[in-house]
Amino acid sequence: MTTIATLAYLAASVLFILALRGLSHPETSRQGNLYGMIGMGVAVVATILNSGMDFGGFVLIVAGLALGGGIGAVVASRIQMTALPQLVAAFHSLVGMAAVFVAAAALYSPQSFGIGEPGNIKTASLLEMSLGLAIGAITFSGSVIAFLKLDGRMSGAPITFANQHKLNAVLGGVLLLLVFLFVLTGSPFLFWVIAILAFALGFLLIIPIGGADMPVVVSMLNSYSGWAAAGIGFTIGNLLLIITGALVGASGAILSYIMCKGMNRSIINVLLGGFGSEGGAAAAGGGGERAPVKAGSPEDAAFIMKNASKIIVVPGYGMAVAQAQQVLREMADLLKKEGAEIKYAIHPVAGRMPGHMNVLLAEANVPYDEVFELEEINPEFAEADVAYVIGANDVTNPAAKTDKSSPIYGMPILDVEKAKTVFFVKRGMASGYAGVENELFYRPNTMMLFGDAKKVTQEIVQALQR
Amino acid sequence: MSTQTELANQAAALAVKAQEVALLAQRAAEAAAPMAAAAQPFLLLLTIFLMACFVGYYVVWSVTPALHSPLMGVTNAISSVIVVGAILAAAGAESGTARFFGFLAVVLASVNIFGGFLVTRRMLSMFQKKKG
């Protein structure tokens, strides 16, 4: 490794840190993304120049970059913003698989990285290699399952069976034993056995986790992909990989933490899975006599909102499913003309990945300074005339504050109940993901607007135009 | 007189023992040297790794929650810096197998690099301030 290459890697690391730093504000974020691209360019060019490759190798690498880059560019420009979570999951799986392949290349050609000869690789490098391999393989298969669940190609319902966690624990133990044997022997056979077991483990770890817990899973796999890159960095002694892997690993870990806090659940609880699988809790629902639910028409809603001066919109995953963000903004524009002030309230776990709702609203040209986080907006519900809840449920349920026996007890919620009138746009009376009934539906100041989120909002827009 | 010779003898015996101990220590040091030399770069890498974890921790906490999706896009793109390892593997001509795996890794990582940065750019271009 020449000094110039090392300096180029250092420059790339700094540019990557600046790319993350830029995301502290939308104004600086585009600049940050550019820094990231430049950093990656510097890293790739420095590596090619420094590798002393022959012409054939150069052609091979340029072909690989062009092929992969072409696919990536096409996918990134065509993808719908509602499909973002599954795209990110798919991308994570690729990082995981790339880590597996680089580990394999290091096993068959250790001299390329200066870590020994085939069949005689340094012990420390074997350990690092097997860790990079195992984390990469778990990232791959786990992300594939997350992708299938998010994309609706596989049921989002948790898949559980007897002794599931024992099986995972045994598999984990066997994996550790195999890593130990591999470090002692350096056998390619054991290498591939570790790969297969790690693939199986990644698969088994993610299948019991339900659809709405996916924000945590996606964040966690984001973190894993970073640790896999760092593991490979240790194997081949590359500073840039180690630094970048640590940055990504830390980022994913923080996002997982924020998502867990948004649900008041521990990461262990999420990972053990099975949440929201039993329908039993929904039936219990507190019992007792209930006031009848008040259902309204879009015209009623339009009339009330026309006369409102402050409206807070609470979007949830249902809005994304119905693709209602555009028409929602149209409704907001009309209401603004009537003199109302519109704000949007985003719960940390709304949607299927961190920040999902913000991107969808931005796509519909909602200015980001009208969109607020839970802590910022909660004090304002008391002075709001209307809370318009579209495709959200559990995140508004006051049982999280009052009912100690509720599975969502302790979860921070949006205080929509304090608004003068609450509209719930929902397809039916079904309970939310947590399987808990929402007592807000039965409050006298609540009006249910039954139907598809997009259709109902469309009808309100029509009524407002009349 | 006799005590003096005795002392001298004891001193001589001690000197011989000390020499033996020194020799052993030297051998031990010789044996440990390659291990220490091997541990040195690893410790350096570990130090850098831990420092980078801290940098990541503080930088990511400063990211605004509204931009958490673009954050995932960017981290996804930069974690594909694993392409550096893939290029070195594909360029090395020592083993066809390694070259093959290296090539596959280059393809997968570049899907991520281009896809990750471009989708992030698309997301960020949508975040606009209120007009007027």
Side-chain angles (χ1 to χ4, degrees):
Chain A
M1 176 91 29
T2 60
T3 315
I4 294 184
T6 312
L7 286 175
Y9 286 164
L10 184 63
S13 311
V14 172
L15 286 165
F16 287 164
I17 293 170
L18 290 177
L20 298 183
R21 185 78 187 94
L23 289 168
S24 58
H25 195 277
E27 297 278 303
T28 56
S29 60
R30 285 175 273 263
Q31 183 75 33
N33 199 38
L34 191 65
Y35 286 144
M37 293 186 198
I38 297 171
M40 188 60 80
V42 167
V44 168
V45 170
T47 311
I48 291 178
L49 291 181
N50 191 50
S51 68
M53 61 179 73
D54 54 12
F55 185 68
F58 179 73
V59 170
L60 190 69
I61 281 157
V62 171
L65 286 172
L67 177 63
I71 298 171
V74 169
V75 171
S77 56
R78 297 226 174 126
I79 192 83
Q80 289 231 328
M81 282 298 143
T82 38
L84 213 53
Q86 47 267 51
L87 177 76
V88 168
F91 279 168
H92 288 157
S93 76
L94 298 183
V95 181
M97 204 60 202
V100 170
F101 286 149
V102 175
L107 177 70
Y108 288 103
S109 179
Q111 60 274 49
S112 297
F113 304 105
I115 54 170
E117 300 291 319
N120 184 23
I121 302 175
K122 286 181 200 157
T123 311
S125 303
L126 283 175
L127 178 63
E128 292 151 359
M129 186 191 296
S130 52
L131 290 180
L133 164 72
I135 302 172
I138 290 174
T139 309
F140 172 75
S141 56
S143 299
V144 167
I145 300 299
F147 167 79
L148 292 174
K149 285 196 175 203
L150 287 164
D151 205 39
R153 293 173 203 227
M154 184 175 157
S155 160
I159 298 170
T160 49
F161 50 86
N163 293 327
Q164 190 165 23
H165 302 312
K166 277 184 200 154
L167 175 69
N168 290 348
V170 168
L171 212 54
V174 173
L175 203 56
L176 283 181
L177 185 69
L178 285 172
V179 166
F180 181 68
L181 291 175
F182 173 71
V183 171
L184 288 183
T185 61
S187 138
F189 172 73
L190 284 177
F191 179 93
W192 293 111
V193 176
I194 291 174
I196 290 166
L197 275 188
F199 281 137
L201 191 60
F203 172 81
L204 287 168
L205 282 175
I206 307 301
I207 54 166
I209 305 180
D213 281 343
M214 281 300 147
V216 184
V217 171
V218 173
S219 312
M220 202 182 67
L221 291 167
N222 182 244
S223 182
Y224 283 5
S225 69
W227 304 132
I232 297 298
F234 275 108
T235 313
I236 65 175
N238 186 302
L239 281 184
L240 179 59
L241 253 70
I242 292 175
I243 294 175
T244 313
L247 292 176
V248 176
S251 166
I254 290 174
L255 288 178
S256 313
Y257 169 79
I258 294 174
M259 293 299 111
C260 284
K261 223 171 130 235
M263 298 190 289
N264 189 37
R265 289 169 61 200
S266 70
I267 186 92
I268 304 289
N269 181 287
V270 173
L271 294 186
L272 290 182
F275 191 74
S277 54
E278 287 98 298
E289 305 288 297
R290 284 223 185 267
V293 169
K294 198 164 65 180
S297 71
E299 285 77 20
D300 301 335
F303 178 77
I304 292 173
M305 284 201 275
K306 223 174 196 171
N307 295 308
S309 59
K310 181 166 184 163
I311 299 170
I312 300 178
V313 178
V314 180
Y317 184 59
M319 179 194 81
V321 174
Q323 300 268 19
Q325 58 272 28
Q326 283 289 347
V327 63
L328 184 67
R329 206 252 317 145
E330 282 172 38
M331 182 185 91
D333 284 350
L334 287 170
L335 290 168
K336 271 191 225 166
K337 273 193 205 137
E338 302 283 342
E341 181 195 7
I342 312 278
K343 287 188 173 178
Y344 298 81
I346 311 283
H347 191 275
V349 293
R352 287 292 188 264
M353 73 183 282
H356 192 191
M357 288 299 129
N358 302 77
V359 172
L360 294 180
L361 291 176
E363 186 194 16
N365 294 324
V366 171
Y368 61 77
D369 36 9
E370 287 180 7
V371 184
F372 297 89
E373 307 302 322
L374 183 133
E375 294 84 16
E376 299 171 312
I377 196 84
N378 254 351
E380 297 195 28
F381 278 105
E383 53 201 69
D385 299 295
V386 171
Y388 189 77
V389 185
I390 173 164
N393 183 358
D394 288 336
V395 299
T396 65
N397 194 338
K401 283 193 284 194
T402 53
D403 181 5
K404 281 204 171 116
S405 66
S406 172
I408 58 168
Y409 181 72
M411 170 169 130
I413 61 156
L414 290 161
D415 293 329
V416 297
E417 53 180 319
K418 291 188 181 145
K420 284 201 193 81
T421 308
V422 185
F423 292 118
F424 271 96
V425 184
K426 259 182 125 290
R427 278 198 247 218
M429 285 301 290
S431 55
Y433 170 69
V436 193
E437 204 171 346
N438 194 340
E439 59 174 280
L440 272 190
F441 298 167
Y442 304 94
R443 295 263 175 101
N445 64 337
T446 298
M447 189 185 271
M448 305 298 292
L449 303 168
F450 289 117
D452 174 74
K454 188 174 180 179
K455 205 160 152 274
V456 169
T457 312
Q458 196 112 52
E459 281 166 12
I460 294 177
V461 167
Q462 280 158 9
L464 284 171
Q465 280 165 337
R466 250 175 253 144
Chain B
M1 206 43 201
S2 63
T3 49
Q4 270 178 359
T5 21
E6 216 168 285
L7 267 176
N9 283 345
Q10 274 177 5
L14 268 176
V16 169
K17 274 204 176 138
Q19 218 167 5
E20 273 168 16
V21 169
L23 201 66
L24 273 176
Q26 198 188 344
R27 276 193 200 140
E30 273 165 11
M35 244 199 272
Q40 212 60 41
F42 172 76
L43 285 180
L44 183 69
L45 295 183
L46 190 67
T47 310
I48 291 167
F49 173 72
L50 286 177
M51 292 298 124
C53 285
F54 277 99
V55 172
Y57 179 85
Y58 287 107
V59 171
V60 171
W61 270 118
S62 76
V63 171
T64 168
L67 294 180
H68 276 164
S69 283
L71 172 66
M72 297 205 103
V74 164
T75 50
N76 192 270
I78 66 173
S79 66
S80 309
V81 76
I82 205 164
V83 76
V84 165
I87 290 175
L88 292 175
E94 288 88 352
S95 145
T97 324
R99 218 169 187 181
F100 171 70
F101 283 128
F103 175 73
L104 287 182
V106 169
V107 175
L108 294 185
S110 29
V111 172
N112 257 342
I113 293 172
F114 283 77
F117 279 125
L118 290 179
V119 85
T120 308
R121 198 175 68 169
R122 251 184 85 194
M123 280 190 252
L124 292 176
S125 70
M126 294 169 183
F127 280 85
Q128 301 293 342
K129 228 180 163 155
K130 211 180 300 192
K131 286 176 208 91

